[in-house]
């Protein structure tokens, strides 16, 4: 873990811009940012810049299209952070990263893009949007379950006149452990009025061993949809056992589909099992 954090935290540029050294090509660059000695104030919903020189302003930041970042055990998850900013001279550069922990100078996890700068597009004479692509990899930078949950979004933007602004924790984003949910209703077929037993399992990715394990003690809804309907109705709510298993019974009334539905938590996304059809005779 320490080796991973050390390798990526060196790339986590966090506060002061050495503009003269960065201007050999006529422009500064957010790749020139050096580590900061400042501490992080927990994000409270506002986003005052931690450092601003001139009149560059960040106007909005969107992570993964506003959706949570869900990571499994093998597949890399690629996502984009869009940084919109304004400056009287236009926007030259933009950058964004995610970091996890309580101290921006010593995070326990960081997700950084491969490119030093973002891909910027002018949206007006004084405005622009820069996009960076980041890859969350369970075999590399998503190395432990401690990283599941809320991350902070570090962003920066630079104008064509070298003015810049940097915010250590502009907003937050969630990185979650991928979930799986199964269902099986039996017997099939079943006589009307008889008991149907519905089993299943709720599991989620474990980033410590790169396997899926049962998610214990979670509330899960048993839902039913008539064959002639497109809408599921909740029949009851049960809890997964110590290894994530689900089991309950209900009475067969009409042909239809049974499924389990999990609402999700801060660390694990919501998921619905594919409905299992039961023929009632």
């Amino acid at each position: 873990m320490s080796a991973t954090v050390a390798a990526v935290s060196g790339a986590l540029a966090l506060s002061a811009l050495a503009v003269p050294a960065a201007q050999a090509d006529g422009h500064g660059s957010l790749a020139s940012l050096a580590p900061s000695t400042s501490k992080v104030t927990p994000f409270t919903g506002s986003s005052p810049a931690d450092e601003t020189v001139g009149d560059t302003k960040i106007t909005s930041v969107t992570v993964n299209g506003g959706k949570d970042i869900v990571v499994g055990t093998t597949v890399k998850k690629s996502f984009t952070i869009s940084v919109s900013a304004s400056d009287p001279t236009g926007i030259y550069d933009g950058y964004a990263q995610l970091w996890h922990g309580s101290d921006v100078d010593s995070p326990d996890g960081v997700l950084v893009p491969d490119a030093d700068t973002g891909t910027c597009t002018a949206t007006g004479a004084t405005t622009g949007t820069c996009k960076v692509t980041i890859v969350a990899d369970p075999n590399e930078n998503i190395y432990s379950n401690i990283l599941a949950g809320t991350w902070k979004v570090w962003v920066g933007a630079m104008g064509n006149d070298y003015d810049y602004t940097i915010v250590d924790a502009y907003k937050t984003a969630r990185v979650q452990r991928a979930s799986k949910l199964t269902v099986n209703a039996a017997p099939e077929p079943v006589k009307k009025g008889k008991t149907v037993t519905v089993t299943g399992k709720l599991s989620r990715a474990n980033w410590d061993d790169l396997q899926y394990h049962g998610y214990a003690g979670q509330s899960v809804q048993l839902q039913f949809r008539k064959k002639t309907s497109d809408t599921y109705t909740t029949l009851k709510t049960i809890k997964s056992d110590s290894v994530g298993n689900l089991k309950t019974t209900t009475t067969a009334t009409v042909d239809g589909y049974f499924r389990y539905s999990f609402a999700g938590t801060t660390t694990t996304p919501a998921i619905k099992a594919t409905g299992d059809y039961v023929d009632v005779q």
Side-chain angles (χ1 to χ4, degrees), residues 3-75:
T4 301
V5 173
V8 290
S9 62
L12 185 60
L14 292 171
S15 182
L17 184 65
V19 175
Q23 291 179 5
D25 63 349
H27 291 88
S29 171
L30 288 179
S32 305
L33 295 176
S36 169
T37 56
S38 64
K39 302 298 180 183
V40 171
T41 299
F43 179 66
T44 59
S46 59
S47 55
D50 290 349
E51 184 175 353
T52 297
V53 172
D55 43 20
T56 304
K57 297 179 180 178
I58 295 172
T59 55
S60 68
V61 175
T62 302
V63 181
N64 195 36
K67 300 178 181 179
D68 293 331
I69 301 157
V70 179
V71 183
T73 59
T74 58
V75 179

Side-chain angles (χ1 to χ4, degrees), residues 68-79 135-145 147-148 175-180 203-213 267-269:
D68 293 331
I69 301 157
V70 179
V71 183
T73 59
T74 58
V75 179
K76 299 177 182 180
K77 172 65 177 179
S78 177
F79 63 95
V135 176
D137 186 349
N139 289 289
E140 185 178 332
N141 50 20
I142 300 296
Y143 59 85
S144 173
N145 293 333
L147 300 180
V175 180
Q176 297 182 311
R177 298 163 60 179
S179 54
K180 292 182 179 181
S203 57
R204 61 175 176 167
N206 185 313
W207 297 332
D208 293 327
D209 63 8
L210 301 182
Q211 302 291 326
Y212 277 82
H213 297 281
T267 61
T268 309

Side-chain angles (χ1 to χ4, degrees), residues 80-83 94 117-121 129-133:
T80 299
I81 302 179
S82 297
V83 180
T117 59
T119 300
C120 299
T121 302
T129 296
C130 300
K131 296 183 178 182
V132 299
T133 299

Side-chain angles (χ1 to χ4, degrees), residues 171-194:
K171 64 188 301 183
T172 60
R174 291 200 305 195
V175 180
Q176 297 182 311
R177 298 163 60 179
S179 54
K180 292 182 179 181
L181 184 57
T182 62
V183 65
N184 181 61
E188 303 174 54
V190 64
K191 290 184 178 181
K192 185 176 181 179
K194 295 297 184 179

